[in-house]
Every structure is written in C-alpha cells, then in structure tokens.
Amino acid sequence: HRHLLGIEGLSRPEIEHLLDRADAAVDISRQVEKKRSTLRGRTQINLFFEPSTRTQSSFELAGKRLGADVMNMSVASSSVKKGETLIDTAATLNAMRPDIIVVRHHAAGAVHLLARKVDCAVVNAGDGAHEHPTQALLDALTIRRNKGRIEGLRVAICGDVLHSRVARSNIILLQALGARVRVIGPSTLIPAGIARFGVEVFTDMRAGLDGCDIVMMLRLQRERMNGSFVPSVKEYFRYFGLDGDKLARAAPDALVMHPGPMNRGVEIASDVADGAQSLIREQVEMGVAVRMAVLDVLASHLPNA
Ligand code: CP
C-alpha cells in the first residue's frame, strides 16, 4: 500500500507484519541511542486540523527517530484560517515535495480525498468518526505484548462508540486478529446497525463486562454531539463510568485501556485509570513504536526507496 488510510482493507498478515516491526521499534526506543537513518533525506509533514497531544507528538518523535526532517504545520496560524480549502492546502504542501504527510481532520473521508491530490504517502491520523488506524495498531500491540495473543480474547469497547473513530478501527482490527468484540454504551451512543459488523451490543455495562479480558474505555466526544443528546456527567458516570465495582465483573486478570485524552470521573474513575490493571501509559509508549513501524513500511514503498 502507498498510504495508510484505515485498517479496513489491510489483511491479517499485513497487520501482523506492522505489529512485528513495531515490536522491534520498542527495542530501539528503549535504547540510549534512539536515532536510525531509514528516513534520512525524507521530509514528513504533520498536518493536524484537530487538536492532538499523543498522535502528533508521537508521529513527530517517530519520524525524528528514523532520521526524517519533520515539520509540524500549525493549522491555527495557517491560511486555513483565511478560508483556504483542504485541497488547496494539500496542493500547496505537495508543491514543497514532502515524502509523507500525516493528516488529522474533523471530516470523515477528508484524508482519502487529500491522498488523491498529492504525490506523497499519506497517513490517516484520525478523520472524523471514521478511522484512526495507528491508534488501533498501538492498542493491538499493547494487548499482544501483555496477553501474548489477540486470538480468542474477549474485548469490551465501552462508551461513546457512535462518535469514535478509535472504536471503528479497533473493531475491524481486533476481529481480523480473532478477538471477540463487544460494544457497551447507552443506546443513544451506539451506532444503529453496528451488530452487522459482528460485535455483540450491550446497554448494561455490568452485563457487558462479564468475563472480558480487555476493557477499552472511550471519551464522551461532546465536540461531535452538536445539539444532539448530551448525557449528564453524573448520570453517565453512574451507569457507564468504569470504577472498581464494575471492573470486578470482568475477568480477574482483565486489563484496562483508554486511547486518551481521558476525562477522569466521566468515563473512568481515577483509581482505575492509575491502577494496577491499567495499560494507559504503556499505550502511549507503543504509540511511538507503531508510528515508527508505519513510517518505515511506507518509506520502503516511496519512489527511489
Ligand atoms: N488517542 C489520541 O488520538 O490522542 P490525541 O487526540 O491526543 O492525539
């Protein structure tokens, strides 16, 4: 593949190859000397139309660890604010001859559109409620390293599934690797027809968590709820917030994940987020490794690689 636009369309061997490469990148990142030269001479542009802490900084570190020149485009102070369209912005950056553009955009499908307008490799860093492929890859890497496998695991994805690109990419990836996925949330935040993706749907969190090996929590994405149903925080936490009591319904060795940013006391209790079963910090470390693997593989398909 020339681009990484989503998990959809990747085969199981392609996913496993990326995870194996990412395992190697974890070892590199844990060394004192982290710099490699695979991307030396290459230019990477990070173009983020939506806020980011983890994804943007880890793509920057990943590119730099592989020797690329990395530029973070500041959309807030760019001519996007003067009305320049996505396509004109893409064409302008394309004229500067980058090798890889990493894009986050609030509209589903915007990254696919951009990929058709540029000559370089494009990575989707999150497009609307559609896909966030590197998040799903880093989640799978974290699970595989802690459980030794993904096949046969019972994974619960909980909360605002409706607005979540993380949920969508994870459902596709985890099922491709043989996990059994459940989604849990209020019916207003579960997409209609999601069962056709092969997931089990629960609106009672305790019932949904029963026996699960992995509990993946999602943030309430109020910024995407424009005018529609917005639950009260207190009530939401009571029914769908992960606290010790609800977590006790999962398997005794269940592990807790959250892609971040977390809203403590809304979808997850602080003691659970910081507790012994939490993988949340490890997910962040795996994020750099997965992005190194993705950049590395895409660079190997660039012209003159
Ligand atoms: N998980 C994730 O995408 O985090 P950021 O929005 O901080 O990049």
Side-chain angles (χ1 to χ4, degrees):
H1 301 267
R2 193 175 139 220
H3 308 296
L4 177 64
L5 302 179
I7 297 298
E8 198 165 20
L10 294 185
S11 66
R12 181 170 181 159
E14 285 168 338
I15 294 167
E16 287 176 338
H17 175 66
L18 282 168
L19 297 182
D20 294 342
R21 296 282 283 256
D23 265 326
V26 175
D27 295 337
I28 294 172
S29 292
R30 288 182 178 178
Q31 291 170 17
V32 176
E33 177 53 62
K34 300 171 176 60
K35 195 101 169 175
R36 296 294 182 271
S37 56
T38 334
L39 266 67
R40 190 160 63 201
R42 300 295 189 182
T43 301
Q44 173 189 332
I45 297 178
N46 296 334
L47 177 62
F48 279 62
F49 292 88
E50 278 192 329
S52 170
T53 297
R54 284 145 285 268
T55 312
Q56 185 168 348
S57 56
S58 59
F59 265 115
E60 181 177 358
L61 278 179
K64 286 179 171 168
R65 283 185 188 169
L66 295 173
D69 292 316
V70 184
M71 189 194 88
N72 286 305
M73 211 20 231
S74 174
V75 171
S77 58
S78 73
S79 286
V80 169
K81 292 288 164 203
K82 301 177 193 165
E84 190 164 71
T85 65
L86 170 69
I87 297 309
D88 284 335
T89 303
T92 301
L93 294 174
N94 189 53
M96 299 181 196
R97 305 186 72 84
D99 299 289
I100 300 175
I101 301 184
V102 179
V103 191
R104 170 171 288 189
H105 198 276
H106 44 83
V111 182
H112 288 67
L113 181 65
L114 186 143
R116 291 204 295 272
K117 305 287 179 185
V118 297
D119 303 311
C120 62
V122 173
V123 185
N124 184 356
D127 65 324
H130 181 226
E131 279 234 39
H132 191 352
T134 56
Q135 179 69 46
L137 286 163
L138 79 87
D139 290 337
L141 182 67
T142 310
I143 295 170
R144 200 175 76 164
R145 288 173 68 96
N146 280 275
K147 291 286 188 189
R149 68 191 166 100
I150 289 176
E151 181 86 48
L153 291 180
R154 285 157 299 181
V155 180
I157 301 179
C158 314
D160 183 1
V161 179
L162 180 65
H163 299 104
S164 179
R165 54 198 177 205
V166 174
R168 189 181 154 80
S169 291
N170 261 308
I171 288 168
I172 301 169
L173 191 156
L174 292 169
Q175 292 195 142
L177 297 194
R180 287 176 284 163
V181 179
R182 301 171 179 185
V183 296
I184 306 174
S187 54
T188 46
L189 295 177
I190 301 284
I194 196 170
R196 75 173 187 274
F197 289 94
V199 298
E200 275 187 278
V201 179
F202 291 84
T203 51
D204 179 300
M205 192 165 178
R206 286 182 172 82
L209 289 179
D210 195 39
C212 281
D213 303 296
I214 300 288
V215 183
M216 196 179 279
M217 300 307 301
L218 301 170
R219 180 176 65 88
L220 268 187
Q221 299 196 36
R222 292 154 199 278
E223 74 275 21
R224 301 194 206 282
M225 292 183 189
N226 45 20
S228 62
F229 168 78
V230 183
S232 98
V233 165
K234 210 172 147 195
E235 199 174 19
Y236 186 80
F237 183 75
R238 181 166 162 217
Y239 290 104
F240 295 101
L242 186 66
D243 54 14
D245 183 52
K246 294 193 196 79
L247 180 57
R249 294 293 295 263
D253 59 351
L255 295 170
V256 174
M257 303 176 73
H258 193 307
M262 268 190 290
N263 289 147
R264 291 169 184 263
V266 181
E267 72 271 5
I268 190 164
S270 259
D271 61 334
V272 171
D274 302 327
Q277 288 167 270
S278 172
L279 296 176
I280 296 170
R281 295 283 164 259
E282 191 173 327
Q283 285 174 269
V284 178
E285 182 187 3
M286 296 307 122
V288 179
V290 152
R291 283 150 189 147
M292 286 170 76
V294 166
L295 294 172
D296 211 357
V297 168
L298 289 179
S300 69
H301 294 122
L302 286 171
N304 308 319

